[in-house]
Structures are given as structure tokens and as C-alpha cells.
Amino acid sequence: MKSKHTDEQLAWLRNHLSEYETRAGGNVRGDAKKFALEMAAKYIEKWGVVEGEKETTMKEQIYTWFKNTSARGKEARKRHQLLKKAERPSTAYLTVPNIEQSIHSNASTSQLRYQPPQSQPPPQHSITPTHYQPVLPPPQPQSSTNFNSNLSVQAINVRDAILNGACGEDDVATSFQLCEDLSHMMTGLLHAAIAVTSSSGGPGVDPLHHILHRYYAAGDLLPRTMAFRSYTGPMAARHLLHTTFRKQSVWTPATPFSHHSHDMQEQINRVNLDRHRRQHYILWARLHAAALEIQLLDNPSLAEALANDGMWEEDEVEWVAGCVLLKGLVRAGKVPMSSSTLGWADLMHSYQNKWKEVRDEGRQTLMADTLLEIRKTLEGHSRM
């Protein structure tokens, strides 16, 4: 809100803080947030909406007050600071763009062009069809590859076939057919996306567009003998990806640290694992948005629901993912389908407020770049 709470308003909010904390410690997920939003509605009914402010924004900020003022919120911020060094690579601090300013640049610095690697001998542990010669992807930062050793042979083949420019669509399709479990296809696709978003290069077309075009083109070559649920052949590949987008859109918080645990290495391992979960969650949202942008998804209803709800969730990765999906909807030229959905410009402003609360520098930078792209696209639409 544009002005601080009065003493009377603060006293009223604090009178309800204990009930919020009780619900936050309960077993019903989302109960505390529901209560905070109910109190926000009563607050507005009692004192009204601040002049020039939106009711939805006021509700969101009152909910944030409850979350940040509660003992649980204070403890979470303290623990976050203690573990921040373990979660963040020891590199120079990132500079966050000023999203308050008008857009003058023509490309986001977060979009990198992927340069296919030169052919190399295949790894000895890969299964290699006679007409398919996979290669290793370019070297990646250690923080993105800690768990590559857990990849199955089938997932490695899918990843390498997608990345290797020398492999044709039939080669990629062959790597799909070698997967005994279709989840290996999705794991390979995800790690191909990790590779192209981790490699260095100049600004240009989003490399995730290229990854998805490769996936869809190869999926169109699949035989009817390859099935996913009730779908076969090309439709199996499409519905597998759509189902994965839906499943990966659900964020599950990590189990809180035990205050009685004295194993520092275990805690560091859990921090690293949680960091990878967060990276993968946002990357699936970026793939979902990219599929919208290049018109590979016919129904945007899931993305619209996630973009509209993301800013109300509790974890900042859900804010970033929702903002990313909003960019996909805007750049795809979609219009809100639900009457309960805010206009894209209003939704952008709500995410801009959320951006100010993001604590992780990398996620804050990604969200800033994304908001710049949304603003640029909306300004382009308004001039048409």
C-alpha cells in the first residue's frame, strides 16, 4: 500500500496474528493464506481501499504482512540467511535491471543462442543405434550438473540426440523408442533444456523454441506401437508433454530442516537438492511458455490458471513460474479466457510487486527480464 498502517489498523491486524500463526502451523495446506485473505477483505470493508490502489493488491499486501510478521516467517527468513551461502554459487553478485524504466532494448539478456557442439565419440555407456551417433552436450556449470550421474542411459540418448545438430528427426525419434519408460523422454528433454540455457552465447531466439521444435518433429515420426495412456504414435508424444506440464506445475515444498539435526553435510546436500528442484520447476514453466509462444499448444487454459494464481502462492519459485507463463500467454497473443482473470497489464503490475519480494538474486533477475519482455510485448500490441 502507498501509506503505512495507522496505529489502530496495526492493532487490529495484530489481534488476528495469533490465529494466522495457529493455522500456519496446522495440517491444512493453504488454510493460513485463506484466513489472511479473509482478514484482508474485512480490513478493506472496515477502512476502505487506499486511493489509487487496487483491492486485489491490498489483499495481497495484507497477506504478505501476516506472513512476514508471524514468528514462522521471521524464523524462515533467519534460516534462509544462514543457508544462503550454501545455496548460492560463489560468483559476483548479479545486477538486477530496473523494471520501473521504459523498455529500450530489443532483446532480453536472459535469452541465449545455443551453438551445437562439434561431433565427439559417443560415451561408452550409451546405447547407440546404427544410424544414431549421440554426442555429449557442452560443459555446464557444476551447480546444474550435480545430478547428471543419475540419468538413465535412455535419458542420456534423448538429451544427446536433441542437442546434436547432426542428428535428424528420425534419430531423435529412435532415441524416444529406445526408452523403456516414457519418463526417460521427459528427463532427456529437461536436461537438453538445461544444456541450452546454461551455454554461453549472444542474444537471439529463445533456444527452448528449437528444443521443442525438435521434440515435436520427432514425435510426429513415432509409430502407432508407441503409446501413452489411450494415445498412440504422434499423439502420444504430444499428450505426454502436456501431461508433464500439468504435473510439473505443482510445487511441493521441501521437508523443513530438523532443529535437532547436527549433520551439516546432510543439510547442505538437502539445500543443493532443493535448489535443483527449484531450477527444474522454473525450467518446466519456461518450456510450457515457449510451447505457447510458438503455437505448439492449442489450449492455454492451464497456463492462464497458473499465471493468474501464481502470485498468490507462498513460494517465490511459484511467483517466477507464474510470471514466465504470463509472458508466454502475452507473446502468443492470447486473450484472457476466464472472466475471473485480470487483464494481462494488471497481472503484470501485480507480478512487478511480487518481484520486489523475491530474495534469490538469480530468480529475481529472471523475473525482471521476464517482466521487461511482457511490458515490451504489451507496448507493441498497444501500438498496433
Side-chain angles (χ1 to χ4, degrees), residues 36-37 173 255 270 301 311:
L37 293 176
T255 305
R270 291 180 64 181
S301 57
M311 65 178 177

Side-chain angles (χ1 to χ4, degrees), residues 173-235:
T174 298
S175 74
F176 290 173
Q177 295 175 67
L178 288 173
C179 293
E180 299 173 357
D181 187 325
L182 294 183
S183 65
H184 298 314
M185 285 174 57
M186 296 295 93
T187 302
L189 175 67
L190 175 67
H191 282 264
I194 291 173
V196 298
T197 54
S198 300
S199 57
S200 59
V205 177
D206 189 338
L208 295 180
H209 293 177
H210 174 70
I211 292 293
L212 288 168
H213 277 306
R214 296 271 284 173
Y215 176 88
Y216 272 80
D220 287 342
L221 300 178
L222 293 180
R224 294 291 178 183
T225 54
M226 195 163 184
F228 170 68
R229 296 182 177 176
S230 61
Y231 302 98
T232 60
M235 294 304 295

